[in-house]
PDB file of all heavy atoms in Angstrom:
ATOM      1  N   VAL A  74     -24.595 -30.313  50.139  1.00  0.00           N
ATOM      2  CA  VAL A  74     -23.458 -29.520  49.921  1.00  0.00           C
ATOM      3  C   VAL A  74     -22.396 -29.764  51.024  1.00  0.00           C
ATOM      4  O   VAL A  74     -22.541 -29.542  52.183  1.00  0.00           O
ATOM      5  CB  VAL A  74     -23.860 -28.117  49.914  1.00  0.00           C
ATOM      6  CG1 VAL A  74     -22.551 -27.175  49.590  1.00  0.00           C
ATOM      7  CG2 VAL A  74     -24.865 -27.742  48.873  1.00  0.00           C
ATOM      8  N   PHE A  75     -21.198 -30.420  50.582  1.00  0.00           N
ATOM      9  CA  PHE A  75     -20.139 -30.696  51.365  1.00  0.00           C
ATOM     10  C   PHE A  75     -19.025 -29.479  51.172  1.00  0.00           C
ATOM     11  O   PHE A  75     -18.625 -29.350  50.046  1.00  0.00           O
ATOM     12  CB  PHE A  75     -19.402 -32.022  51.146  1.00  0.00           C
ATOM     13  CG  PHE A  75     -20.358 -33.195  51.382  1.00  0.00           C
ATOM     14  CD1 PHE A  75     -21.102 -33.611  50.491  1.00  0.00           C
ATOM     15  CD2 PHE A  75     -20.315 -33.754  52.738  1.00  0.00           C
ATOM     16  CE1 PHE A  75     -21.894 -34.883  50.684  1.00  0.00           C
ATOM     17  CE2 PHE A  75     -21.112 -34.871  52.946  1.00  0.00           C
ATOM     18  CZ  PHE A  75     -21.882 -35.412  51.918  1.00  0.00           C
ATOM     19  N   GLN A  76     -18.578 -28.890  52.258  1.00  0.00           N
ATOM     20  CA  GLN A  76     -17.468 -27.853  52.076  1.00  0.00           C
ATOM     21  C   GLN A  76     -16.456 -28.250  53.052  1.00  0.00           C
ATOM     22  O   GLN A  76     -16.743 -28.283  54.332  1.00  0.00           O
ATOM     23  CB  GLN A  76     -18.088 -26.497  52.247  1.00  0.00           C
ATOM     24  CG  GLN A  76     -17.019 -25.432  51.971  1.00  0.00           C
ATOM     25  CD  GLN A  76     -17.620 -23.989  52.072  1.00  0.00           C
ATOM     26  OE1 GLN A  76     -18.682 -23.725  51.254  1.00  0.00           O
ATOM     27  NE2 GLN A  76     -16.995 -23.197  52.827  1.00  0.00           N
ATOM     28  N   GLY A  77     -15.228 -28.384  52.500  1.00  0.00           N
ATOM     29  CA  GLY A  77     -14.123 -28.802  53.453  1.00  0.00           C
ATOM     30  C   GLY A  77     -12.791 -28.666  52.686  1.00  0.00           C
ATOM     31  O   GLY A  77     -12.695 -28.298  51.647  1.00  0.00           O
ATOM     32  N   ARG A  78     -11.805 -29.054  53.544  1.00  0.00           N
ATOM     33  CA  ARG A  78     -10.465 -29.035  53.032  1.00  0.00           C
ATOM     34  C   ARG A  78     -10.152 -30.261  52.234  1.00  0.00           C
ATOM     35  O   ARG A  78     -10.326 -31.390  52.814  1.00  0.00           O
ATOM     36  CB  ARG A  78      -9.470 -28.826  54.002  1.00  0.00           C
ATOM     37  CG  ARG A  78      -8.026 -28.529  53.497  1.00  0.00           C
ATOM     38  CD  ARG A  78      -7.052 -28.299  54.644  1.00  0.00           C
ATOM     39  NE  ARG A  78      -7.344 -27.088  55.350  1.00  0.00           N
ATOM     40  CZ  ARG A  78      -6.883 -25.882  55.065  1.00  0.00           C
ATOM     41  NH1 ARG A  78      -6.343 -25.691  53.905  1.00  0.00           N
ATOM     42  NH2 ARG A  78      -7.155 -24.884  55.798  1.00  0.00           N
ATOM     43  N   LEU A  79      -9.717 -30.204  50.924  1.00  0.00           N
ATOM     44  CA  LEU A  79      -9.478 -31.442  50.105  1.00  0.00           C
ATOM     45  C   LEU A  79      -8.220 -32.004  50.391  1.00  0.00           C
ATOM     46  O   LEU A  79      -7.144 -31.288  50.511  1.00  0.00           O
ATOM     47  CB  LEU A  79      -9.511 -30.980  48.643  1.00  0.00           C
ATOM     48  CG  LEU A  79      -9.372 -32.150  47.638  1.00  0.00           C
ATOM     49  CD1 LEU A  79     -10.498 -33.124  47.749  1.00  0.00           C
ATOM     50  CD2 LEU A  79      -9.244 -31.616  46.258  1.00  0.00           C
ATOM     51  N   ASN A  80      -8.077 -33.311  50.472  1.00  0.00           N
ATOM     52  CA  ASN A  80      -6.944 -34.131  50.659  1.00  0.00           C
ATOM     53  C   ASN A  80      -6.918 -35.257  49.638  1.00  0.00           C
ATOM     54  O   ASN A  80      -7.850 -36.129  49.583  1.00  0.00           O
ATOM     55  CB  ASN A  80      -6.795 -34.649  52.067  1.00  0.00           C
ATOM     56  CG  ASN A  80      -6.798 -33.695  53.085  1.00  0.00           C
ATOM     57  OD1 ASN A  80      -5.734 -33.230  53.397  1.00  0.00           O
ATOM     58  ND2 ASN A  80      -7.796 -33.466  53.880  1.00  0.00           N
ATOM     59  N   LEU A  81      -5.894 -35.261  48.787  1.00  0.00           N
ATOM     60  CA  LEU A  81      -5.806 -36.294  47.761  1.00  0.00           C
ATOM     61  C   LEU A  81      -4.974 -37.443  48.190  1.00  0.00           C
ATOM     62  O   LEU A  81      -3.963 -37.179  48.867  1.00  0.00           O
ATOM     63  CB  LEU A  81      -5.285 -35.623  46.416  1.00  0.00           C
ATOM     64  CG  LEU A  81      -5.987 -34.570  45.842  1.00  0.00           C
ATOM     65  CD1 LEU A  81      -5.316 -33.891  44.619  1.00  0.00           C
ATOM     66  CD2 LEU A  81      -7.429 -34.883  45.430  1.00  0.00           C
ATOM     67  N   THR A  82      -5.377 -38.650  47.745  1.00  0.00           N
ATOM     68  CA  THR A  82      -4.595 -39.862  48.154  1.00  0.00           C
ATOM     69  C   THR A  82      -3.836 -40.252  46.905  1.00  0.00           C
ATOM     70  O   THR A  82      -4.150 -39.991  45.781  1.00  0.00           O
ATOM     71  CB  THR A  82      -5.442 -40.971  48.694  1.00  0.00           C
ATOM     72  OG1 THR A  82      -6.352 -41.362  47.594  1.00  0.00           O
ATOM     73  CG2 THR A  82      -6.391 -40.550  49.960  1.00  0.00           C
ATOM     74  N   GLU A  83      -2.742 -41.212  47.259  1.00  0.00           N
ATOM     75  CA  GLU A  83      -2.009 -41.643  45.994  1.00  0.00           C
ATOM     76  C   GLU A  83      -2.706 -42.601  45.185  1.00  0.00           C
ATOM     77  O   GLU A  83      -2.309 -42.777  43.973  1.00  0.00           O
ATOM     78  CB  GLU A  83      -0.686 -42.391  46.651  1.00  0.00           C
ATOM     79  CG  GLU A  83       0.217 -41.326  47.254  1.00  0.00           C
ATOM     80  CD  GLU A  83       1.486 -42.030  47.788  1.00  0.00           C
ATOM     81  OE1 GLU A  83       1.745 -43.241  47.465  1.00  0.00           O
ATOM     82  OE2 GLU A  83       2.212 -41.414  48.547  1.00  0.00           O
ATOM     83  N   ASP A  84      -3.792 -43.129  45.637  1.00  0.00           N
ATOM     84  CA  ASP A  84      -4.448 -44.141  44.813  1.00  0.00           C
ATOM     85  C   ASP A  84      -5.750 -43.581  44.041  1.00  0.00           C
ATOM     86  O   ASP A  84      -6.512 -44.295  43.611  1.00  0.00           O
ATOM     87  CB  ASP A  84      -4.942 -45.387  45.679  1.00  0.00           C
ATOM     88  CG  ASP A  84      -5.957 -44.887  46.790  1.00  0.00           C
ATOM     89  OD1 ASP A  84      -6.147 -43.585  46.939  1.00  0.00           O
ATOM     90  OD2 ASP A  84      -6.558 -45.783  47.472  1.00  0.00           O
ATOM     91  N   GLY A  85      -5.681 -42.213  43.952  1.00  0.00           N
ATOM     92  CA  GLY A  85      -6.712 -41.623  43.037  1.00  0.00           C
ATOM     93  C   GLY A  85      -7.987 -41.246  43.728  1.00  0.00           C
ATOM     94  O   GLY A  85      -8.939 -40.839  43.117  1.00  0.00           O
ATOM     95  N   ALA A  86      -8.140 -41.281  45.061  1.00  0.00           N
ATOM     96  CA  ALA A  86      -9.288 -40.952  45.818  1.00  0.00           C
ATOM     97  C   ALA A  86      -9.008 -39.625  46.485  1.00  0.00           C
ATOM     98  O   ALA A  86      -7.933 -39.119  46.415  1.00  0.00           O
ATOM     99  CB  ALA A  86      -9.681 -41.962  46.902  1.00  0.00           C
ATOM    100  N   ALA A  87     -10.048 -39.081  47.135  1.00  0.00           N
ATOM    101  CA  ALA A  87      -9.992 -37.832  47.800  1.00  0.00           C
ATOM    102  C   ALA A  87     -10.860 -37.893  49.036  1.00  0.00           C
ATOM    103  O   ALA A  87     -11.865 -38.514  49.030  1.00  0.00           O
ATOM    104  CB  ALA A  87     -10.421 -36.717  46.965  1.00  0.00           C
ATOM    105  N   PHE A  88     -10.572 -37.115  50.018  1.00  0.00           N
ATOM    106  CA  PHE A  88     -11.376 -36.925  51.112  1.00  0.00           C
ATOM    107  C   PHE A  88     -11.557 -35.500  51.561  1.00  0.00           C
ATOM    108  O   PHE A  88     -10.465 -34.795  51.290  1.00  0.00           O
ATOM    109  CB  PHE A  88     -11.087 -37.902  52.294  1.00  0.00           C
ATOM    110  CG  PHE A  88      -9.784 -37.605  53.029  1.00  0.00           C
ATOM    111  CD1 PHE A  88      -9.822 -36.685  54.142  1.00  0.00           C
ATOM    112  CD2 PHE A  88      -8.644 -38.206  52.631  1.00  0.00           C
ATOM    113  CE1 PHE A  88      -8.597 -36.495  54.812  1.00  0.00           C
ATOM    114  CE2 PHE A  88      -7.468 -37.944  53.370  1.00  0.00           C
ATOM    115  CZ  PHE A  88      -7.513 -37.150  54.434  1.00  0.00           C
ATOM    116  N   LEU A  89     -12.619 -35.085  51.994  1.00  0.00           N
ATOM    117  CA  LEU A  89     -12.781 -33.841  52.517  1.00  0.00           C
ATOM    118  C   LEU A  89     -12.843 -33.942  53.963  1.00  0.00           C
ATOM    119  O   LEU A  89     -13.538 -34.656  54.589  1.00  0.00           O
ATOM    120  CB  LEU A  89     -14.153 -33.260  52.090  1.00  0.00           C
ATOM    121  CG  LEU A  89     -14.389 -32.675  50.625  1.00  0.00           C
ATOM    122  CD1 LEU A  89     -15.835 -32.111  50.476  1.00  0.00           C
ATOM    123  CD2 LEU A  89     -13.360 -31.667  50.345  1.00  0.00           C
ATOM    124  N   ASP A  90     -12.071 -32.907  54.647  1.00  0.00           N
ATOM    125  CA  ASP A  90     -12.001 -32.768  56.017  1.00  0.00           C
ATOM    126  C   ASP A  90     -13.157 -31.648  56.372  1.00  0.00           C
ATOM    127  O   ASP A  90     -12.921 -30.511  56.006  1.00  0.00           O
ATOM    128  CB  ASP A  90     -10.688 -32.363  56.466  1.00  0.00           C
ATOM    129  CG  ASP A  90     -10.511 -32.213  58.017  1.00  0.00           C
ATOM    130  OD1 ASP A  90     -11.596 -32.241  58.720  1.00  0.00           O
ATOM    131  OD2 ASP A  90      -9.396 -31.966  58.408  1.00  0.00           O
ATOM    132  N   LEU A  91     -14.080 -32.168  57.060  1.00  0.00           N
ATOM    133  CA  LEU A  91     -15.234 -31.263  57.457  1.00  0.00           C
ATOM    134  C   LEU A  91     -15.095 -30.888  58.882  1.00  0.00           C
ATOM    135  O   LEU A  91     -15.905 -31.246  59.693  1.00  0.00           O
ATOM    136  CB  LEU A  91     -16.510 -31.852  57.143  1.00  0.00           C
ATOM    137  CG  LEU A  91     -16.810 -32.278  55.704  1.00  0.00           C
ATOM    138  CD1 LEU A  91     -18.097 -33.155  55.620  1.00  0.00           C
ATOM    139  CD2 LEU A  91     -16.958 -31.068  54.828  1.00  0.00           C
ATOM    140  N   GLY A  92     -13.925 -30.342  59.233  1.00  0.00           N
ATOM    141  CA  GLY A  92     -13.751 -29.926  60.635  1.00  0.00           C
ATOM    142  C   GLY A  92     -13.554 -31.174  61.548  1.00  0.00           C
ATOM    143  O   GLY A  92     -14.119 -31.204  62.702  1.00  0.00           O
ATOM    144  N   GLY A  93     -12.802 -32.125  61.186  1.00  0.00           N
ATOM    145  CA  GLY A  93     -12.557 -33.281  61.943  1.00  0.00           C
ATOM    146  C   GLY A  93     -13.208 -34.511  61.481  1.00  0.00           C
ATOM    147  O   GLY A  93     -12.969 -35.621  61.914  1.00  0.00           O
ATOM    148  N   THR A  94     -14.227 -34.464  60.588  1.00  0.00           N
ATOM    149  CA  THR A  94     -14.949 -35.522  59.983  1.00  0.00           C
ATOM    150  C   THR A  94     -14.453 -35.681  58.636  1.00  0.00           C
ATOM    151  O   THR A  94     -14.548 -34.722  57.866  1.00  0.00           O
ATOM    152  CB  THR A  94     -16.413 -35.385  60.046  1.00  0.00           C
ATOM    153  OG1 THR A  94     -16.835 -35.346  61.456  1.00  0.00           O
ATOM    154  CG2 THR A  94     -17.148 -36.397  59.426  1.00  0.00           C
ATOM    155  N   SER A  95     -14.078 -36.915  58.159  1.00  0.00           N
ATOM    156  CA  SER A  95     -13.600 -37.044  56.803  1.00  0.00           C
ATOM    157  C   SER A  95     -14.669 -37.794  55.977  1.00  0.00           C
ATOM    158  O   SER A  95     -15.280 -38.753  56.478  1.00  0.00           O
ATOM    159  CB  SER A  95     -12.454 -37.998  56.798  1.00  0.00           C
ATOM    160  OG  SER A  95     -11.317 -37.277  57.467  1.00  0.00           O
ATOM    161  N   VAL A  96     -14.905 -37.291  54.824  1.00  0.00           N
ATOM    162  CA  VAL A  96     -15.850 -37.878  53.840  1.00  0.00           C
ATOM    163  C   VAL A  96     -15.124 -38.271  52.524  1.00  0.00           C
ATOM    164  O   VAL A  96     -14.451 -37.379  51.971  1.00  0.00           O
ATOM    165  CB  VAL A  96     -16.985 -36.913  53.473  1.00  0.00           C
ATOM    166  CG1 VAL A  96     -17.973 -37.645  52.430  1.00  0.00           C
ATOM    167  CG2 VAL A  96     -17.779 -36.504  54.654  1.00  0.00           C
ATOM    168  N   LEU A  97     -15.075 -39.549  52.180  1.00  0.00           N
ATOM    169  CA  LEU A  97     -14.313 -40.047  51.109  1.00  0.00           C
ATOM    170  C   LEU A  97     -15.026 -39.892  49.856  1.00  0.00           C
ATOM    171  O   LEU A  97     -16.300 -40.163  49.784  1.00  0.00           O
ATOM    172  CB  LEU A  97     -14.007 -41.534  51.358  1.00  0.00           C
ATOM    173  CG  LEU A  97     -13.133 -42.322  50.309  1.00  0.00           C
ATOM    174  CD1 LEU A  97     -11.720 -41.697  50.308  1.00  0.00           C
ATOM    175  CD2 LEU A  97     -13.067 -43.835  50.632  1.00  0.00           C
ATOM    176  N   PHE A  98     -14.319 -39.574  48.682  1.00  0.00           N
ATOM    177  CA  PHE A  98     -14.838 -39.340  47.399  1.00  0.00           C
ATOM    178  C   PHE A  98     -13.927 -40.019  46.350  1.00  0.00           C
ATOM    179  O   PHE A  98     -12.746 -40.200  46.576  1.00  0.00           O
ATOM    180  CB  PHE A  98     -15.020 -37.890  46.992  1.00  0.00           C
ATOM    181  CG  PHE A  98     -16.066 -37.099  47.668  1.00  0.00           C
ATOM    182  CD1 PHE A  98     -15.786 -36.473  48.943  1.00  0.00           C
ATOM    183  CD2 PHE A  98     -17.266 -36.987  47.131  1.00  0.00           C
ATOM    184  CE1 PHE A  98     -16.678 -35.736  49.523  1.00  0.00           C
ATOM    185  CE2 PHE A  98     -18.180 -36.229  47.750  1.00  0.00           C
ATOM    186  CZ  PHE A  98     -18.080 -35.624  49.087  1.00  0.00           C
ATOM    187  N   ASP A  99     -14.521 -40.547  45.201  1.00  0.00           N
ATOM    188  CA  ASP A  99     -13.680 -40.883  44.152  1.00  0.00           C
ATOM    189  C   ASP A  99     -13.332 -39.778  43.197  1.00  0.00           C
ATOM    190  O   ASP A  99     -14.347 -38.881  43.079  1.00  0.00           O
ATOM    191  CB  ASP A  99     -14.340 -42.044  43.373  1.00  0.00           C
ATOM    192  CG  ASP A  99     -14.378 -43.413  44.209  1.00  0.00           C
ATOM    193  OD1 ASP A  99     -13.308 -43.672  44.927  1.00  0.00           O
ATOM    194  OD2 ASP A  99     -15.226 -44.105  44.089  1.00  0.00           O
ATOM    195  N   VAL A 100     -12.322 -39.724  42.589  1.00  0.00           N
ATOM    196  CA  VAL A 100     -12.056 -38.825  41.546  1.00  0.00           C
ATOM    197  C   VAL A 100     -11.552 -39.474  40.218  1.00  0.00           C
ATOM    198  O   VAL A 100     -10.585 -40.123  40.221  1.00  0.00           O
ATOM    199  CB  VAL A 100     -10.801 -37.874  42.023  1.00  0.00           C
ATOM    200  CG1 VAL A 100     -10.495 -36.702  40.984  1.00  0.00           C
ATOM    201  CG2 VAL A 100     -11.017 -37.244  43.384  1.00  0.00           C
ATOM    202  N   PRO A 101     -12.466 -39.294  39.194  1.00  0.00           N
ATOM    203  CA  PRO A 101     -12.196 -39.976  37.917  1.00  0.00           C
ATOM    204  C   PRO A 101     -11.092 -39.341  37.203  1.00  0.00           C
ATOM    205  O   PRO A 101     -11.159 -38.160  36.699  1.00  0.00           O
ATOM    206  CB  PRO A 101     -13.511 -39.939  37.162  1.00  0.00           C
ATOM    207  CG  PRO A 101     -14.145 -38.639  37.716  1.00  0.00           C
ATOM    208  CD  PRO A 101     -13.643 -38.548  39.120  1.00  0.00           C
ATOM    209  N   GLY A 102      -9.936 -39.942  37.054  1.00  0.00           N
ATOM    210  CA  GLY A 102      -8.906 -39.504  36.242  1.00  0.00           C
ATOM    211  C   GLY A 102      -8.292 -38.206  36.752  1.00  0.00           C
ATOM    212  O   GLY A 102      -8.503 -37.802  37.936  1.00  0.00           O
TER     213      GLY A 102
END
């Protein structure tokens, strides 16, 4: 379980900010 502040990128990806650590995710559509 990752809980963080979501940041969306222009190329369709997203990353969660977990208090200074970023975890990258893909977002389909």
